[in-house]
Amino acid sequence: MNGDPTLERIAQGNGLALCAGGSWTARFAPLLEPLVADAEKLTGSRPNIFIDVSQVDKLDTFGAWLIERLRRSLTQGGVEAKIAGLSDNYSSLVDEVRRVKVTPAAGTTSVTITGMLDQVGRSVAGFGTTIVELVDMLGAVLAASGRVLIHPTSFRLTSTVHHLEQVCWRAVPIVGLITFLIGCIIAQQGIFHFRRFGADIFVVDMLGVLVLREIGVLLVAIMVAGRSGSAYTAELGSMKMREEIDALRTMGFDPIEVLILPRMLALVIALPILAFIGAMSALYGGGLVAWLYGGVDPEAFLLRLRDAISIDHFTVGIIKAPVMAAVIGIVACVEGLAVEGSAESLGAHTTSSVVKGIFFVIVMDGVFAIFFASIGM
Amino acid sequence: MTPVSDMTSKSTLAPEISPEISDAIIRVRDITVQFGSTRVLDGLNLDVKRGEILGFVGPSGAGKSVLTRTIIGLVPKVAGHIEVFGIDLDAASTRERRGVERRWGILFQQGALFSSLTVRQNIQFPVREYLKVSQRLLDEIMVAKLGMVGLRPEVADRFPSELSGGMIKRVALARALALDPELVFLDEPTSGLDPIGAGDFDELVRTLQRTLGLTVFMVTHDLDSLYTACDRIAVLGNGKIIAAGSMADMQASQHPWLRSYFHGKRARAVMG
């Protein structure tokens, strides 16, 4: 291999020759930089300086540029600088870098208090825009459903069934498992604390009301937001990135009708089913723990459950499910269509799809709680 | 060099290899690549000489990109040897492999720019990772590379999604050249460019080859590129190299695919 690069200084009368030698290539750039920086300090010491490159074994863009940089800074300092001894095959390379016009890099933005406050302000103001976007999407989806009702042939059944399989059928095992475990935990905690008052049997009331009214549907909605909302955003986002959505539009198809409506419909059908499965699974888990851990045998459990809960509890829970599904779907689709060109943007919007989806699900749950309380359900 | 369509028969294979090109930068021997039960490359042999621009052609789906990707190690091979810079890539240690990877640059068909980095960061990325140099030099080299591929420094702070197709190709080439590699793989560099842009690109590759002493391995469909930029042409068919040689050899060949490729309507328009 060639040796390290060198830059020797040889006095020539009242001038100076800088003899470059060795490999002036990218590999040696970390060595070359200080070498050239040192030589740049010679500005003004001599009236003329020769840069002799005849001893250079290898030259590439890095080396050529550093030699050119040296020549420029010497010339700027009022020194007559010339490059000599350039071989033919390297002269075109030096000509190439001679055309480089260096522009100062754009300043990087530094983190400041005002900058952070600015960010906070913008995101608070952005929340209003989010609401407008969601309402806009809701309107677009409703309008598309209206069109589909008028022309039922344009409804995409295959696509809807496909999404239903993804969102509902394939989610059953994990939804069932998690709600089962949560049911177990609620029952165990209930028995553990109620036992002190001798009120073991009330664990059934608590389990029934909690699971059917709140936890069942809320937990399932959060899981669906994480599982399917993120998938929707990623799918639509990458389609947007590759201009597939633009392609659809130019072929005369409405992306809302083709892509979003089947997805929304699948979610709205899936979530009540999953919520029901989840509730049953949690009750089963709770009942099992009550029997094995609390000594409440299944017969007593079922009798107590029949007394403790009415159909109202179940209705309250299941009514919420399609609304939550719609919220998750709309958030996911809005975020998906907001994806821009970069992979980073896809990641950011998928994150925000899940975060906003879960947030709105909980807000909706609160609104429903107030509503049902005021109508006495 | 005569068309080596007889290379397919085993008996003539040995004498074909023995007069080895002494300064081959890439040496591919008996490469077989299989996807499931489909054999894409079947005992393929190829040498690329140092300092040449090799044009690599073949019908769509013949496995041109697969060969490129096999050489650079993205597609696993069933059998065969690949030597790059005289280093057997299968036997190489991670360290040696790194060394090889630093000495080649690759232009992917779609550019494969990092979408979350600006043009500036894209070009500086390999340099920053491999060399400890100042930000100032990084910026200057970036501008020099942009200039080499015919772009203005103003595009440096744009993101890949804000560039046109031709600009993406150029930036991707600038990134491939960032570390001043000795060997560049270009996968269809001129596809999707307008004829003037494609002509400029060919000229650019030629210039870079002259100035930097590059070896270029170019997969292409562009007859203009083959005619103006390439020193040698290799043709892929049935998983093997069916011919390799100069443009004149290609035109003289009697192979049916070569005849239709180099004597078709489009070829006549290019060659006059």
Side-chain angles (χ1 to χ4, degrees), chain A residues 26-30 33 40 58-62 65-66 69 73 89-90 92-93 96-97 99-106 241 340-345, chain B residues 102 115-117 120 127 131-137 139-141 143-145 147-149 153-154 157 159 161 177-180 182 207-208 210-212:
Chain A
R27 263 189 77 191
F28 296 102
E33 252 202 306
E40 279 175 345
K58 276 174 119 185
L59 190 71
D60 67 5
T61 326
F62 283 77
W65 166 251
L66 285 168
R69 188 212 261 181
S73 49
N89 45 345
Y90 290 141
S92 48
L93 181 59
E96 189 75 46
V97 294
R99 282 188 276 150
V100 172
K101 282 196 193 70
V102 175
T103 44
M241 274 164 80
E340 281 151 26
S342 71
E344 198 183 3
S345 156
Chain B
R102 201 170 126 167
S115 59
S116 50
L117 301 182
R120 173 194 305 277
V127 187
L131 303 173
K132 264 207 175 97
V133 294
S134 67
Q135 183 62 41
R136 179 183 163 198
L137 185 61
D139 282 332
E140 289 164 351
I141 288 294
V143 174
K145 298 288 173 185
M148 280 182 170
V149 297
E154 285 89 81
D157 290 308
F159 282 95
S161 55
L177 294 173
L179 277 167
D180 276 296
E182 295 158 52
T207 313
L208 291 173
R210 263 202 311 274
T211 52
L212 300 174

Side-chain angles (χ1 to χ4, degrees), chain A residues 289-336:
Chain A
V289 168
W291 183 26
L292 299 176
Y293 178 78
V296 182
D297 60 79
E299 206 178 328
F301 182 88
L302 283 176
L303 270 173
R304 182 73 205 163
L305 194 65
R306 195 185 296 164
D307 289 343
I309 59 168
S310 66
I311 192 71
D312 274 359
H313 292 298
F314 176 73
T315 322
V316 164
I318 221 73
I319 278 179
K320 291 192 279 194
V323 180
M324 287 178 175
V327 170
I328 294 167
I330 285 173
V331 169
C333 293
V334 167
E335 291 295 333

Side-chain angles (χ1 to χ4, degrees), chain B residues 8-166:
Chain B
T8 46
S9 59
K10 278 276 179 218
S11 56
T12 54
L13 199 67
E16 199 59 46
I17 299 168
S18 50
E20 278 189 350
I21 308 161
S22 55
D23 57 347
I25 200 164
I26 304 176
R27 199 183 300 253
V28 173
R29 287 288 171 271
D30 301 320
I31 284 294
T32 302
V33 172
Q34 217 163 330
F35 296 127
S37 60
T38 11
R39 192 160 274 206
V40 183
L41 303 177
D42 188 8
L44 181 143
N45 291 293
L46 180 69
D47 280 323
V48 181
K49 284 180 256 180
R50 188 174 287 274
E52 76 173 347
I53 300 183
L54 177 79
F56 197 56
V57 297
S60 292
K64 302 186 293 294
S65 293
V66 172
L67 176 61
T68 318
R69 293 171 71 85
T70 310
I71 296 174
I72 58 189
L74 295 174
V75 172
K77 54 186 181 297
V78 180
H81 289 284
I82 297 172
E83 260 178 45
V84 181
F85 307 121
I87 296 169
D88 184 344
L89 291 183
D90 293 316
S93 64
T94 318
R95 213 184 134 82
E96 281 175 318
R97 224 199 125 75
R98 272 286 178 77
V100 169
E101 280 164 359
R102 201 170 126 167
R103 287 164 71 190
W104 72 33
I106 293 139
L107 170 67
F108 286 93
Q109 209 164 351
Q110 313 290 341
L113 294 176
F114 304 123
S115 59
S116 50
L117 301 182
T118 60
V119 168
R120 173 194 305 277
Q121 292 163 330
N122 260 291
I123 299 174
Q124 290 176 352
F125 180 77
V127 187
R128 200 190 292 275
E129 293 301 307
Y130 278 123
L131 303 173
K132 264 207 175 97
V133 294
S134 67
Q135 183 62 41
R136 179 183 163 198
L137 185 61
L138 282 176
D139 282 332
E140 289 164 351
I141 288 294
M142 188 270 307
V143 174
K145 298 288 173 185
L146 276 183
M148 280 182 170
V149 297
L151 289 174
R152 300 160 67 81
E154 285 89 81
V155 301
D157 290 308
R158 288 207 217 157
F159 282 95
S161 55
E162 298 162 349
L163 299 175
S164 73

Side-chain angles (χ1 to χ4, degrees), chain A residues 92 96 99, chain B residues 53 107 144-151 166-175 177 184 186 189-190 193 196-214 216 218 225 228-229:
Chain A
S92 48
E96 189 75 46
R99 282 188 276 150
Chain B
I53 300 183
L107 170 67
K145 298 288 173 185
L146 276 183
M148 280 182 170
V149 297
L151 289 174
M167 284 160 105
I168 287 176
K169 290 250 152 126
R170 281 162 192 266
V171 173
L173 181 63
R175 186 181 69 179
L177 294 173
V184 189
L186 308 176
T190 53
L193 299 187
I196 300 169
D200 287 350
F201 207 96
D202 293 337
E203 194 55 44
L204 174 70
V205 171
R206 262 266 170 241
T207 313
L208 291 173
Q209 183 235 8
R210 263 202 311 274
T211 52
L212 300 174
L214 278 178
V216 181
M218 176 156 68
S225 297
T228 56

